[in-house]
Amino acid sequence: MKLSEKDSAHSKESDLVKEKLDWSCLLLVASFVGAFGSSFLYGYNLSVVNAPTPYIKAFYNESWERRHGHPIDPDTLTLLWSVTVSIFAIGGLVGTLMVKLIGKVLGRKYTLLVNNGFAISAALLMACSLQAGAFEMLIVGRFIMGVDGGISLSVLPMYLNEISPKEIRGALGQVTAIFICIGVFTGQLLGLPELLGKESTWPYLFGVIAVPALVQLVSLPFLPESPRFLLFEKHDQAGAEKAFQTFLGKEDVSREVEEVLAESRVQRNIQLVSVLELLRSPFVRWQVITVIVTMACYQLCGLNAIWFYTNSIFGKAGISPEKIPYITLSTGGIETLAAIFSGLVIERLGRRPLLIGGFGLMALFFGIITITLTFQDHAPWIPYLSIVCILAIIASFCSGPGGIPFILTGEFFQQSQRPAAFIIAGTINWLSNFAVGLLFPFIQKSLDTYCFLVFATICLTGAVYFYFVLPETKNRTFAEISQAFAKRNKAIPPEENTNSAASDAKVTRRPEPDPASTLDNYTKNGIV
């Protein structure tokens, strides 16, 4: 009898493990396909312009001289190059603002599919610019690529958030950050002189952009739409159940469907919330503030400053200029490994420790690198300590702050609020990105190596804010996370009122109120 029970328990355990592996693999396929054609391209476009910079500037000069009969003025060349780099952020802002309109009509999956059209057209424009002799094609291509990035960094986290069970929502959400890092590393790798970083082949660096977009274009149609989108916005319960079954690899998805239906009952007939309504809502006030602070710290934490100093620090350490591009690859490798580490431990440690610890360590190493850069000529070993600090700052960023902001934005808000929340987060993200690109040269010029103290202050402020304000969201439903903020918001969210009423009704055995009349009461009280 005991042996039979043991065999039965072992069989059940094996079935559970097998089931878990099945649905995990299907979810991983969806996340990898989605991220490869989306966040990978964002990371790739961050680094791909670095290696061919001198060749692109020479192309600008040749095109200008051919048209006007004289070389381009140095100030004009600097302006054109600044526009080429920064217009990517402007395109990202435009793409972010387009998300709600496109997403409402097409849904998560088909928005990602249509977005590939932007990537492919941008790749063709930039790859053909040299042959056409039109540098404007490169600038327009960068803008279109920014639009692609703005859409993908809003829709992809939403899609991954909505298809994932809460037990692995953070780990799958971290795939966005992992593929950003892989994209940065790939841009650095392909930019080496032995590959595509030569005068004759630099346009192919931009043509490569079409490859991930085409892969996603032919793969994503075989995967289901977000079950939450199907249930909430298309009212297709059968389609949502089928999507859950496909992603989770099991027939019984009643628990997952009931969780979504519980949220759906509260928000029945409630339209998508606008950005202005979300900003005014008392029930999500601290969620919105936290998302703004998170995204601002994500861009203003000083990682771009690290890239600015990398070559000079490596040079001071005695590394020859010819070898610096190869050593720089180590930074991309550290990024990727740290992001993978974060994805593996995020469901064990939680969001709070990784985010607070990441920003805290960045503040510490920014303080140390300020000292080492100030005294780097006093001893031959100090530049090597600066290199260690650079790698430590990159690892600290990618282990938490590099990916968790996108996860939190999806976890903080209910279905009807999520598109508006990602518009707010994306707007802060791209405006901060643009501000860093615009202001950092002036900060660096006026403060020199002490500019890192500014970033240390920002990181420390963010860590302190998250310590006092941010609740842990690991393994919590969207309703539970909303309730965790209720005390700070000093306003109880509608779903908590509903749960309390249902509980009271069960205890006193009174009939439950009609959901339609409850919703009418919410509407009368101005509750969104």
Side-chain angles (χ1 to χ4, degrees):
M1 180 68 180
K2 289 182 179 180
L3 183 62
S4 176
E5 287 177 356
K6 285 183 179 179
D7 291 342
S8 177
H10 180 71
S11 175
K12 287 180 180 179
E13 185 179 345
S14 299
D15 291 341
L16 285 171
V17 171
K18 185 176 184 299
E19 181 180 291
K20 184 175 181 180
L21 289 173
D22 283 341
W23 61 254
S24 294
C25 289
L26 288 169
L27 286 171
L28 283 173
V29 169
S31 59
F32 286 170
V33 168
F36 185 55
S38 302
S39 59
F40 173 87
L41 289 179
Y42 169 75
Y44 183 81
N45 279 277
L46 289 178
S47 64
V48 73
V49 294
N50 294 334
T53 296
Y55 307 127
I56 295 175
K57 289 183 176 180
F59 163 56
Y60 283 9
N61 190 43
E62 291 169 7
S63 301
W64 187 278
E65 188 171 1
R66 186 169 55 251
R67 295 179 191 179
H68 302 283
H70 60 83
I72 191 172
D73 181 75
D75 291 337
T76 306
L77 179 61
T78 302
L79 176 62
L80 281 175
W81 180 245
S82 298
V83 170
T84 304
V85 174
S86 61
I87 204 168
F88 180 70
I90 297 174
L93 179 59
V94 172
T96 298
L97 298 176
M98 294 167 58
V99 164
K100 186 179 178 184
L101 179 62
I102 300 176
K104 183 179 180 181
V105 176
L106 299 179
R108 316 299 189 234
K109 185 180 84 168
Y110 289 102
T111 299
L112 289 174
L113 283 172
V114 169
N115 197 35
N116 291 309
F118 289 112
I120 293 170
S121 59
L124 292 174
L125 279 171
M126 293 188 287
C128 298
S129 59
L130 179 63
Q131 189 174 2
F135 60 79
E136 294 88 352
M137 292 172 63
L138 187 61
I139 296 174
V140 173
R142 286 281 294 174
F143 174 78
I144 296 174
M145 204 61 233
V147 174
D148 173 90
I151 293 173
S152 63
L153 286 189
S154 295
V155 178
L156 176 65
M158 262 194 286
Y159 183 63
L160 297 182
N161 205 289
E162 292 173 6
I163 68 174
S164 308
K166 64 179 185 293
E167 292 81 9
I168 61 165
R169 192 171 56 216
L172 279 187
Q174 195 67 5
V175 170
T176 301
I178 292 172
F179 272 80
I180 289 175
C181 297
I182 294 174
V184 170
F185 180 76
T186 305
Q188 294 172 339
L189 182 64
L190 294 181
L192 294 175
E194 289 79 4
L195 297 177
L196 299 178
K198 299 190 290 284
E199 187 173 6
S200 58
T201 58
W202 68 261
Y204 297 117
L205 281 170
F206 298 101
V208 168
I209 291 170
V211 176
L214 289 171
V215 169
Q216 188 183 84
L217 198 59
V218 300
S219 304
L220 204 58
F222 297 99
L223 295 168
E225 176 58 273
S226 159
R228 284 179 168 270
F229 173 81
L230 291 173
L231 194 57
F232 273 90
E233 298 179 38
K234 294 298 181 183
H235 309 293
D236 181 5
Q237 183 169 341
E241 289 180 1
K242 187 176 179 181
F244 270 128
Q245 289 169 347
T246 302
F247 283 127
L248 305 186
K250 60 182 182 180
E251 290 297 321
D252 183 13
V253 293
S254 55
R255 183 177 67 86
E256 289 78 9
V257 173
E258 182 54 38
E259 181 184 314
V260 180
L261 286 174
E263 184 181 345
S264 176
R265 281 191 288 270
V266 174
Q267 300 196 21
R268 186 185 302 164
N269 298 327
I270 296 179
Q271 300 296 319
L272 287 179
V273 176
S274 69
V275 172
L276 194 58
E277 288 171 335
L278 191 65
L279 291 172
R280 289 176 173 174
S281 174
F283 304 110
V284 292
R285 183 177 294 119
W286 279 97
Q287 289 96 311
V288 171
I289 293 172
T290 303
V291 163
I292 291 173
V293 171
T294 306
M295 279 299 176
C297 289
Y298 171 75
Q299 285 293 349
L300 302 177
C301 66
L303 202 68
N304 292 336
I306 288 297
W307 300 126
F308 182 87
Y309 277 97
T310 298
N311 287 355
S312 63
I313 291 172
F314 287 163
K316 289 284 186 181
I319 299 170
S320 63
E322 297 81 16
K323 293 181 180 178
I324 285 178
Y326 304 96
I327 304 299
T328 304
L329 281 177
S330 65
T331 61
I334 290 291
E335 271 191 305
T336 306
L337 291 175
I340 292 173
F341 167 78
S342 178
L344 293 174
V345 303
I346 189 171
E347 295 301 347
R348 289 175 177 269
L349 300 180
R351 284 63 156 159
R352 264 177 59 89
L354 290 175
L355 202 59
I356 296 170
F359 278 123
L361 287 173
M362 287 182 75
L364 172 65
F365 288 116
F366 272 132
I368 296 174
I369 200 172
T370 301
I371 298 171
T372 59
L373 289 178
T374 304
F375 297 101
Q376 64 182 353
D377 296 326
H378 288 64
W381 53 269
I382 293 181
Y384 292 98
L385 185 57
S386 299
I387 293 176
V388 172
C389 287
I390 285 178
L391 298 178
I393 289 168
I394 293 171
S396 301
F397 175 81
C398 294
S399 63
I404 292 177
F406 299 102
I407 299 172
L408 292 181
T409 305
E411 290 182 329
F412 281 172
F413 300 95
Q414 303 289 351
Q415 187 78 14
S416 61
Q417 304 162 337
R418 202 167 289 132
F422 271 97
I423 289 176
I424 294 172
T427 301
I428 298 299
N429 178 33
W430 291 102
L431 285 178
S432 300
N433 186 313
F434 183 75
V436 167
L438 190 67
L439 299 177
F440 175 70
F442 300 100
I443 296 173
Q444 189 273 329
K445 188 176 181 180
S446 58
L447 298 179
D448 197 27
T449 56
Y450 292 101
C451 68
F452 289 115
L453 294 179
V454 176
F455 302 122
T457 303
I458 292 172
C459 291
L460 185 61
T461 302
V464 171
Y465 175 87
F466 297 131
Y467 180 80
F468 287 105
V469 175
L470 180 66
E472 182 54 71
T473 61
K474 180 184 69 172
N475 287 337
R476 287 188 172 186
T477 64
F478 299 110
E480 290 169 345
I481 294 169
S482 180
Q483 291 166 16
F485 275 102
K487 184 176 180 181
R488 191 173 294 276
N489 288 325
K490 296 180 180 178
I492 301 174
E495 59 270 16
E496 190 169 326
N497 280 333
T498 304
N499 292 339
S500 299
S503 179
D504 291 342
K506 187 176 180 181
V507 172
T508 59
R509 297 186 179 182
R510 289 179 296 182
E512 295 183 4
D514 180 61
S517 64
T518 304
L519 184 64
D520 291 340
N521 290 335
Y522 293 155
T523 307
K524 288 176 184 177
N525 292 326
I527 297 173
V528 179

